[in-house]
Amino acid sequence: MKSLLEGKRVFEQETIKGTRYLLVPENKIEKYKYLACHLLIKKGDFEYPRRWIRYTDIPFEEAIVPLDTFNIDDYEYIILPDFSLEEGLKEVFEENGIDTDPFYKGLMKFEKIPVNLQALIRDALERSEGADDWFEEHKLECFTYQKDGKQIAIALTGDPEIHDVKYEYTQKFLDKRVVKRYFIDSEKTKELISLRDKEDIEFHPREEWFVLYSETDNNSFFILENVYDVEDIIPFVNFVLTYEEDKSQLDEEREKRRKQREEEAKRKEKEPERGMSYRPSHRIF
């Protein structure tokens, strides 16, 4: 299993069809700032609302910014707007025929914000800033890939609700070993793999079966999905066996462990029973 996972991390993802595991190249996972639903105003841009950066109504891929290119000091305001403007500001906007969109899209009718509105808007922005205390700490680890000419990003850590990636299971799979591998399609793009715990050497092991495949043309990452009741159909299909673990090594390991158990049992037999040594009693008259 180590060779299959070399240079990769494994994440569990819940989908409509059930649980699956993403095998993602570690060197392709990057850290990002997640800016969805935020309004950012760079220093010097306050008076020019058309320069404000609004991360609203956009795909996830456009709402993430690589952490190494994001400098919080470049911005005068970073806010998470509420569902509506403050009541006082809303009334002023309505009186001046300005749309009351909470992302201040109504101000885009102006090249430059009218002077009589600037102080009022600044006050509202400054009160909104404190509503997002977690912003500086909040980061995502994401993996991006191309599919049908489109860039797709998956959030792996930082917020499990975005793409239903709940846990990392890299170590769980490193603690398993591959028993058998089959190609199950003529193009040799899908494999059937059976896994068992590294320490499991019983004659009737508890094996898990998975289908291994990729959703991308260049195999930028792979997916493992559990399948069940596979052993009974294998003799009746044209799956191509590409690997099977050496059973003779398992026999040797079983024999080695049997001898260890026997030696341990003999050693215990020779040990004197604790707490049973004779101690003379004394009578007190």
Side-chain angles (χ1 to χ4, degrees), residues 49-84:
R50 296 175 187 174
R51 300 180 190 174
W52 295 8
I53 306 169
R54 299 169 175 85
Y55 286 94
T56 178
D57 301 325
I58 58 175
F60 173 76
E61 288 76 12
E62 296 178 23
I64 56 175
V65 177
L67 197 60
D68 57 3
T69 66
F70 181 82
N71 184 1
I72 196 169
D73 294 329
D74 290 342
Y75 300 90
E76 184 173 6
Y77 297 106
I78 298 177
I79 68 169
L80 185 65
D82 206 340
F83 293 107
S84 64

Side-chain angles (χ1 to χ4, degrees), residues 25-252:
E26 188 170 15
N27 63 355
K28 298 296 184 182
I29 299 173
E30 296 184 17
K31 292 183 179 181
Y32 293 83
K33 268 293 185 187
Y34 184 38
L35 301 175
C37 300
H38 281 79
L39 171 64
L40 285 74
I41 304 173
K42 286 191 173 183
K43 292 176 179 177
D45 285 353
F46 167 75
E47 295 180 358
Y48 307 95
R50 296 175 187 174
R51 300 180 190 174
W52 295 8
I53 306 169
R54 299 169 175 85
Y55 286 94
T56 178
D57 301 325
I58 58 175
F60 173 76
E61 288 76 12
E62 296 178 23
I64 56 175
V65 177
L67 197 60
D68 57 3
T69 66
F70 181 82
N71 184 1
I72 196 169
D73 294 329
D74 290 342
Y75 300 90
E76 184 173 6
Y77 297 106
I78 298 177
I79 68 169
L80 185 65
D82 206 340
F83 293 107
S84 64
L85 296 177
E86 293 181 353
E87 198 59 38
L89 184 61
K90 185 177 180 180
E91 289 179 5
V92 172
F93 273 30
E94 288 174 345
E95 290 172 0
N96 287 272
I98 302 171
D99 189 284
T100 58
D101 175 85
F103 280 84
Y104 298 87
K105 291 180 180 178
L107 294 177
M108 293 178 69
K109 66 189 289 186
F110 303 112
E111 176 69 30
K112 189 174 182 179
I113 298 175
V115 175
N116 65 314
L117 296 179
Q118 289 186 17
L120 190 64
I121 294 169
R122 274 195 185 278
D123 288 344
L125 290 174
E126 286 169 4
R127 281 192 291 272
S128 297
E129 270 194 306
D132 196 3
D133 297 332
W134 52 265
F135 179 80
E136 290 193 44
E137 290 76 29
H138 189 58
K139 306 175 183 68
L140 302 178
E141 282 188 302
C142 300
F143 170 69
T144 61
Y145 64 98
Q146 295 287 326
K147 184 177 181 181
D148 300 327
K150 180 181 178 182
Q151 178 167 289
I152 297 175
I154 302 176
L156 301 173
T157 67
D159 190 338
E161 302 303 320
I162 297 175
H163 293 121
D164 294 314
V165 178
K166 306 297 184 183
Y167 306 103
E168 179 169 358
Y169 276 119
T170 304
Q171 190 57 52
K172 172 186 174 180
F173 281 93
L174 285 172
D175 289 337
K176 297 181 181 295
R177 69 179 194 275
V178 178
V179 180
K180 293 179 181 178
R181 294 179 72 163
Y182 296 87
F183 279 125
I184 61 176
D185 63 335
S186 58
E187 293 81 15
K188 297 183 178 180
T189 60
K190 291 185 178 181
E191 289 188 69
L192 182 66
I193 298 179
S194 66
L195 305 178
R196 63 195 287 191
D197 291 342
K198 280 182 178 179
E199 299 302 316
D200 183 3
I201 60 170
E202 298 300 320
F203 284 103
H204 300 288
R206 288 175 293 181
E207 292 183 28
E208 291 182 276
W209 290 85
F210 297 85
V211 172
L212 175 71
Y213 65 97
S214 178
E215 289 185 335
T216 62
D217 295 334
N218 61 352
N219 296 333
S220 55
F221 77 105
F222 287 88
I223 295 168
L224 279 174
E225 284 188 5
N226 273 110
V227 288
Y228 303 94
D229 303 322
V230 172
E231 297 94 326
D232 294 337
I233 68 167
I234 288 178
F236 306 100
V237 294
N238 295 321
F239 295 167
V240 179
L241 181 65
T242 60
Y243 170 82
E244 184 172 11
E245 71 176 352
D246 187 347
K247 293 182 180 179
S248 64
Q249 292 182 358
L250 294 180
D251 293 336
E252 292 174 4

